[in-house]
Amino acid sequence: MRCTILGFIGGAALLQYQAALPAYPFLWLAAGLLLAFLPRRLPAVRHAVCAGAGAMLGFGWAAVLAHATLSSELALADEGRDLLIVGTVDSLLNRFSQGERFNFAVEQVLTPRAAVPPRIALSWYAGFRGDPQPVGDVRPGERWQLKVRLQRPHGNANPHGFDYELWQMEQGVRATGYIRAEGDNRRLDSFVLTPHNLVERSRAQLRDRIQRLLGDRPYAGVIIALVIGDQRAIAQSDWTIFNRTGISHLISISGLHITMMAGLAAAAASWFWRRSFAGRRYRLPLLLPSRKAAAIAGMCAALAYVLLAGFGVPAQRTLYMLCVVALATWLDRLTSISHVLALAAAVVVLADPWAVMWPGFWLSFGAVAIILYASVGRTAGHKAARPPDLAAGSLHPVRGEPLTRRQHLAATLQAAVNTQYAITLGLVPLTMLLFSQISIISPVANALAIPLVSLLVTPMALAGSVMPDLLAKPLLSGAHELVRWLAVALEWCSGLRWAVWAAPAPPWWLFCWALFGTAWLLAPRGWPMRWLGLATWIPLLLAEPWRPASGALRVTAFDVGQGMALLVETANHRLLYDTGPAYSLESNGGNRVILPYLRARGIGALDAVVVSHADSDHSGGALAILASIRAHWLLSSLDLAHPVARAAPHVRCAAGQHWEWDGVRFDILHPTAASYANRSLKTNARSCTLKITSAAGSLLLPGDIEAAQEQDLLAREGGAIRADILLAPHHGSGTSSTPGFMAAVMPATGIFQVGHRNRYRHPKAEVVQRYRDMNVRVLRTDQSGALTIDFDGGIAVSEYRREHARYWHGR
């Protein structure tokens, strides 16, 4: 069975790497079932056939669900149209500075006729293009009539980045959009009773209650996350601390918390059941054994808590494992722990085959597998009669003698230490593969946080969320104070220079090698030279980031939406040109796109950062980047009092500046030093224009200059602005890329960094046609994703969406 399940998971994972879905997925299911019933007598053949049958079944099943999900796609002709729809709010609201977001279950399309997917994601903005707009008082379970404008799900596509389109598909969301202010938007029913709406309304009421009782206290979001699993109110700065100290798994409804609550409920039910002999009518143990009653109570408590959590993968894993154990208890059958884990994984993938694409799936099951490997079946202390020469009160149990309380406590503590040791070491290869860093301080931080959060904060938060206000407020306030004290300790730990070890994400073969060494390291006592397992970590932890050859150049143009951000790499230096836009108060191109890429590449410092000008679509991510990694100097046209200019050693860009790195020349062509005295100039007019020249070719980065600055460049530089690759000025606006400028640059390739269906309608159709009329290859980040340009003996451009095509992209 375990081989079949592993094959099933592998087959489901294999489908998620396909560029297109198989035309006949049921054939894979049929082939898997046929293979499963083939005769197989030899053990090796049996295991191979079972794994192969499971892989076919997993591949086919995942394809069937994918076809069903994608069948409700919004038609391209309906993108951008105003639609009047009726439906129910079926998720918690995500309130942010510009308005609120929620998922909407569509029941009816009133006008015009259109095929709208059954579940969509909507934003209700408080203002649009500077005009204030009232936002409706929306709650889960309500039925609303709304005027909306929709589009197909589309997210940024970058190496090592978050796949928004995959996430929306997993949620069953096949269109996104916003609510139009001028529509007849009104509530039709205050509540539509369905099981899902009831759960979501309960979660919303608990969240509102906690927010009301805690007010604007800084860690109210952590309390909310522990009660209902909604982590969106936790500040990004707090997440940085939690991730660096390795305790982020506790700041949610984790498997540990669910198991604890199920255990408490089972223990309480068992205690009551065994003492229900009062009178003649209440003799419950004679009707049902107390252990079976306890199993029911534990499962009910676990299910309720998992529903509050929003049914995340770690919560699902724990629930399904508890279900298997409870079922085995009811059927009076002994259950192998490895079978429990395998069945839980199979149920998760059966219900959600896309779960295999997220780190939480592998970390959840990986952690439990490591605990089982390092503990189950190992020799432990036994009980025995105490020899006469053994000192009284010794903490060392001997065979045959019942453990004293002190001995039991010592054994429990030792088991906890061994478990933390196994998880800390066992997850090193997987953590490096998924996050390109490990927390060195994690064992100490978890030793402090696990008992505090699991035994005190979580029970107090849960009790406080349901009790009357008179009791709830002190409980919630006490839980918040404990979290605040913990945060102080964690912040100090996070600030240590050696708190985190970072290295590039390893290739698959190096990951497998380190995984083998870890298994050797955690082998049972007596295994020869277990310490040799550490040697397999050396190439994993000491790997150096990839670098171009001397004289070569690599440029990565990120897909940051409507903004600019490019990473320029030479053999020994790295420069970042612009930092992407600000998406919200805490989200920007820096922390959402650029930093994850740098972290995965093992890049911990930048030799230079160029912020072309002050517009937020170019400087929005600068503060986040400069706060997270070291930049030797900053070159910009910013005002000297600008916060970004004060975040690093700053130099104003001016025409004539130049330097050379590893055989590659960098020249600042614009603005002139005298232009800073002209206060009437717009920020676009002072964009730092950088030309990069290597032996293989050249690249021109003009920022947001417009026609006047293009003419000025022509007059001052002439043929010096010739370049093989041109980053289209001002995202391809109608006021840039003038014919004379294009004729002087004569690019072979033009790159447009633009957002999908952006409100400026960049790039303008006439500008794109101008490029094509000059036989310039046009590439757009909204269509191609991130672009990688290699200057090494020639010029090669790769498109991320083409190189990493997936069946859910570009439909």
Side-chain angles (χ1 to χ4, degrees):
M1 182 188 73
R2 285 167 293 192
C3 288
T4 305
I5 290 175
L6 289 176
F8 183 85
I9 295 172
L14 179 63
L15 179 82
Q16 312 313 327
Y17 290 91
Q18 303 305 306
L21 289 174
Y24 305 102
F26 287 100
L27 292 181
W28 288 90
L29 289 172
L33 289 173
L34 179 64
L35 185 61
F37 289 102
L38 287 179
R40 44 189 185 274
R41 297 180 179 179
L42 296 176
V45 174
R46 181 171 65 251
H47 294 326
V49 170
C50 286
M56 290 182 180
L57 289 171
F59 189 87
W61 175 250
V64 168
L65 291 188
H67 273 290
T69 301
L70 295 178
S71 64
S72 59
E73 200 82 68
L74 180 73
L76 283 173
D78 292 327
E79 284 192 317
R81 297 175 66 192
D82 287 344
L83 307 172
L84 189 63
I85 62 175
V86 172
T88 58
V89 179
D90 77 337
S91 72
L92 278 177
L93 270 69
N94 176 20
R95 294 185 175 91
F96 58 105
S97 57
Q98 292 91 2
E100 57 193 21
R101 293 190 181 97
F102 52 88
N103 289 339
F104 195 72
V106 179
E107 298 173 337
Q108 186 180 3
V109 181
L110 300 180
T111 56
R113 174 175 290 183
V116 177
R119 195 167 196 235
I120 62 178
L122 294 176
S123 298
W124 200 331
Y125 293 104
F128 190 67
R129 300 188 184 180
D131 297 326
Q133 172 183 332
V135 176
D137 182 17
V138 179
R139 295 179 63 78
E142 294 178 340
R143 177 177 282 124
W144 279 75
Q145 174 182 290
L146 299 170
K147 185 177 183 180
V148 300
R149 184 170 290 181
L150 302 177
Q151 67 176 25
R152 293 184 176 188
H154 185 94
N156 299 333
N158 294 282
H160 313 292
F162 178 74
D163 195 330
Y164 174 79
E165 295 168 50
L166 171 62
W167 179 72
Q168 289 285 37
M169 186 178 66
E170 185 183 27
Q171 306 301 312
V173 173
R174 299 312 307 145
T176 65
Y178 62 92
I179 298 168
R180 301 284 285 166
E182 65 274 13
D184 182 16
N185 304 315
R186 54 194 172 92
R187 183 187 295 107
L188 302 179
D189 291 299
S190 59
F191 186 68
V192 179
L193 182 60
T194 67
H196 177 78
N197 287 347
L198 188 60
V199 169
E200 292 302 311
R201 175 63 69 89
S202 300
R203 297 178 72 209
Q205 289 174 340
L206 287 175
R207 183 175 70 175
D208 292 344
R209 188 163 190 263
I210 295 171
Q211 289 175 334
R212 175 174 58 84
L213 293 173
L214 290 180
D216 57 356
R217 299 190 187 186
Y219 298 103
V222 174
I223 302 300
I224 292 172
L226 292 172
V227 174
I228 65 169
D230 180 19
Q231 304 173 344
R232 290 172 292 193
I234 301 176
Q236 187 64 39
S237 56
D238 292 332
W239 275 122
T240 301
I241 294 173
F242 298 150
N243 290 330
R244 284 180 61 84
T245 53
I247 63 104
S248 56
H249 63 98
L250 293 175
I251 312 302
S252 63
I253 301 181
S254 67
L256 179 63
H257 300 153
I258 295 169
T259 304
M260 179 190 68
M261 296 306 299
L264 290 174
S270 178
W271 183 91
F272 170 78
W273 209 265
R274 286 185 282 107
R275 287 163 176 77
S276 58
F277 278 96
R280 296 182 177 181
R281 298 178 61 185
Y282 301 103
R283 299 185 177 183
L284 299 180
L286 300 180
L287 302 176
L288 184 70
S290 60
R291 60 189 178 86
K292 293 189 176 182
I296 293 176
M299 283 310 307
C300 290
L303 178 60
Y305 203 17
V306 168
L307 290 175
L308 283 177
F311 228 62
V313 169
Q316 289 181 47
R317 180 257 302 166
T318 305
L319 177 65
Y320 298 147
M321 290 181 69
L322 292 175
C323 284
V324 174
V325 173
L327 184 62
T329 301
W330 265 78
L331 298 178
D332 297 315
R333 298 188 63 176
L334 293 175
T335 305
S336 166
I337 298 296
S338 60
H339 281 86
V340 172
L341 184 65
L343 281 173
V347 174
V348 170
V349 176
L350 191 68
D352 179 11
W354 302 283
V356 297
M357 300 300 290
W358 305 113
F361 176 86
W362 300 104
L363 289 174
S364 296
F365 287 99
V368 177
I370 289 166
I371 293 173
L372 298 181
Y373 174 74
S375 60
V376 174
R378 303 295 178 91
T379 303
H382 295 280
K383 295 168 268 189
R386 180 184 288 117
D389 58 342
L390 190 64
S394 171
L395 296 181
H396 300 282
V398 207
R399 187 178 301 277
E401 179 184 308
L403 294 174
T404 65
R405 288 187 178 181
R406 293 180 63 194
Q407 292 169 342
H408 183 74
L409 178 61
T412 301
L413 290 175
Q414 183 178 0
V417 170
N418 290 340
T419 299
Q420 185 62 44
Y421 163 81
I423 292 178
T424 300
L425 297 183
L427 288 180
V428 166
L430 185 58
T431 304
M432 290 299 300
L433 178 68
L434 297 175
F435 305 113
S436 305
Q437 64 180 29
I438 55 173
S439 175
I440 305 298
I441 203 70
S442 172
V444 175
N446 276 279
L448 174 64
I450 287 176
L452 188 66
V453 173
S454 299
L455 301 180
L456 293 177
V457 175
T458 301
M460 291 171 66
L462 285 170
S465 64
V466 297
M467 284 187 173
D469 285 5
L470 185 64
L471 297 175
K473 189 162 187 177
L475 282 171
L476 291 174
S477 298
H480 180 274
E481 286 304 299
L482 291 175
V483 173
R484 186 175 66 82
W485 295 339
L486 175 64
V488 171
L490 294 177
E491 185 174 5
W492 180 84
C493 293
S494 174
L496 298 173
R497 291 186 58 187
W498 47 268
V500 173
W501 184 278
W508 66 269
W509 59 268
L510 182 55
F511 165 74
C512 293
W513 173 244
L515 197 62
F516 165 76
T518 304
W520 189 286
L521 179 66
L522 297 178
R525 185 178 301 172
W527 194 268
M529 295 184 291
R530 291 185 297 170
W531 57 269
L532 280 177
L534 290 173
T536 63
W537 289 5
I538 295 176
L540 182 77
L541 300 178
L542 299 182
E544 287 291 325
W546 176 90
R547 298 173 183 273
S550 180
L553 174 70
R554 168 170 286 188
V555 179
T556 304
F558 296 105
D559 179 12
V560 291
Q562 186 65 18
M564 283 187 187
L566 301 96
L567 179 67
V568 180
E569 300 179 76
T570 66
N572 297 299
H573 297 84
R574 295 180 177 90
L575 176 146
L576 181 67
Y577 182 89
D578 279 340
T579 60
Y583 307 128
S584 66
L585 292 178
E586 288 201 335
S587 175
N588 53 70
N591 56 29
R592 294 299 186 192
V593 176
I594 300 170
L595 285 175
Y597 177 83
L598 297 178
R599 190 177 300 117
R601 289 278 313 280
I603 299 173
L606 295 169
D607 294 279
V609 174
V610 177
V611 177
S612 63
H613 61 294
D615 286 4
S616 63
D617 57 332
H618 296 253
S619 63
L623 288 178
I625 292 171
L626 295 175
S628 300
I629 63 174
R630 181 169 51 91
H632 292 169
W633 51 275
L634 171 69
L635 188 68
S636 82
S637 62
L638 302 174
D639 187 274
L640 298 181
H642 195 285
V644 173
R646 301 169 63 179
H650 178 240
V651 178
R652 271 187 164 176
C653 59
Q657 295 169 333
H658 63 89
W659 64 95
E660 187 170 316
W661 285 341
D662 311 310
V664 178
R665 183 179 173 88
F666 296 76
D667 290 278
I668 297 294
L669 305 181
H670 184 81
T672 62
S675 67
Y676 289 102
N678 185 357
R679 292 294 179 180
S680 64
L681 288 177
K682 296 190 301 182
T683 56
N684 285 353
R686 273 197 288 265
S687 294
C688 300
T689 299
L690 174 65
K691 182 180 179 182
I692 306 172
T693 307
S694 72
S698 56
L699 168 73
L700 183 63
L701 307 176
D704 277 0
I705 63 172
E706 298 180 339
Q709 291 77 49
E710 291 179 354
Q711 296 306 311
D712 181 55
L713 268 176
L714 278 173
R716 286 190 292 107
E717 303 292 342
I721 64 174
R722 167 79 177 88
D724 298 286
I725 307 288
L726 171 65
L727 180 65
H730 202 185
H731 317 281
S733 73
T735 60
S736 59
S737 297
T738 56
F741 177 78
M742 293 294 299
V745 178
M746 295 181 61
T749 302
I751 295 174
F752 294 86
Q753 279 193 303
V754 292
H756 178 66
R757 295 178 58 85
N758 64 86
R759 63 191 180 99
Y760 305 103
R761 301 183 183 275
H762 291 163
K764 297 296 184 179
E766 62 271 20
V767 173
V768 174
Q769 189 59 48
R770 190 177 302 152
Y771 277 69
R772 288 176 174 156
D773 290 343
M774 297 180 64
N775 295 320
V776 178
R777 180 188 181 189
V778 172
L779 295 173
R780 300 171 47 159
T781 55
D782 61 333
Q783 297 175 352
S784 300
L787 299 167
T788 303
I789 311 159
D790 285 303
F791 297 81
D792 188 5
I795 302 177
V797 182
S798 63
E799 306 167 57
Y800 185 79
R801 285 187 181 270
R802 183 185 296 271
E803 300 290 331
H804 299 82
R806 299 292 181 262
Y807 64 83
W808 57 84
H809 289 163
R811 293 177 59 90

